[in-house]
Amino acid sequence: GQSLEQPSEVTAVEGAIVQINCTYQTSGFYGLSWYQQHDGGAPTFLSYNALDGLEETGRFSSFLSRSDSYGYLLLQELQMKDSASYFCASPGVAGNMLTFGGGTRLMVKP
Amino acid sequence: GAGVSQSPSNKVTEKGKDVELRCDPISGHTALYWYRQSLGQGLEFLIYFQGNSAPDKSGLPSDRFSAERTGGSVSTLTIQRTQQEDSAVYLCASSLDGSNSPLHFGNGTRLTVT
């Protein structure tokens, strides 16, 4: 089996930097993905890490440390529109279905 | 291009009735997933189809739930004898080849069982 743990809520102010952590326990490891979901909307893909290190995509970056079974999503220059839920996800077996963490609700305040 | 399409967007049904939820994946995507999401909760895996392989049904919560995918494209999730605890948003997603390709989600079907 596999499980991914995330904080349930994070609050930050506009313009700040926030880090959302994800720790995982999986029978195998085939990469860590991040998805964003606005209230009432569908999850959308943000990033994927297969190897250790930092992947940067604009204001969003994702980090992975396989030795620590840990990853995080870093959001810079926060904007109000970044208020959403963020999910980490991983397949337990190569090419298999994704298991999602419980999600972190990010609230950005003015 | 067209994304993942789900229908209906909303469904209200009486306890004990059967419902069918439909998913049209992105053309050319071989992998198709069904997830369930209760209000404010995470995504619960239900079933996964990949090409012509036998589906992974390990997430189906009971034998009242079944799904099929015809011609490697459209999928239907059927819930028989619905219960109130089945009320949730049912999300369908497709990906190019089911490896680490990103999942593209539809907008979901909100099911309410009264």
Side-chain angles (χ1 to χ4, degrees), chain B residues 89-104:
Chain B
V89 175
Y90 289 80
L91 291 163
C92 175
S94 69
S95 73
L96 185 61
D97 57 13
S99 60
N100 288 311
S101 305
L103 269 61
H104 299 261

Side-chain angles (χ1 to χ4, degrees), chain A:
Chain A
Q2 56 191 111
S3 65
L4 298 97
E5 298 293 328
Q6 309 176 232
S8 58
E9 279 192 9
V10 172
T11 302
V13 297
E14 222 175 348
I17 299 173
V18 71
Q19 179 175 310
I20 298 173
N21 298 321
C22 174
T23 56
Y24 59 85
Q25 290 184 323
T26 59
S27 53
F29 183 73
Y30 300 92
L32 191 69
S33 300
W34 289 91
Y35 287 77
Q36 177 192 59
Q37 184 180 32
H38 287 99
D39 285 348
T44 57
F45 172 80
L46 290 177
S47 68
Y48 168 69
N49 293 70
L51 302 175
D52 292 352
L54 193 68
E55 295 283 340
E56 298 182 65
T57 309
R59 294 187 297 112
F60 292 5
S61 302
S62 56
F63 172 83
L64 176 65
S65 170
R66 288 173 295 172
S67 60
D68 295 321
S69 297
Y70 163 75
Y72 65 71
L73 181 68
L74 190 74
L75 296 83
Q76 303 183 70
E77 301 172 16
L78 280 174
Q79 302 176 9
M80 297 297 291
K81 67 178 182 180
D82 297 329
S83 293
S85 292
Y86 294 84
F87 296 88
C88 58
S90 183
V93 176
N96 209 335
M97 60 81 176
L98 283 185
T99 294
F100 284 80
T104 299
R105 187 173 182 85
L106 171 64
M107 289 179 282
V108 180
K109 297 186 174 180

Side-chain angles (χ1 to χ4, degrees), chain B residues 1-18:
Chain B
V4 176
S5 177
Q6 292 188 246
S7 60
S9 55
N10 280 284
K11 177 71 176 179
V12 180
T13 190
E14 292 181 352
K15 177 182 173 181
K17 300 286 189 182
D18 297 352

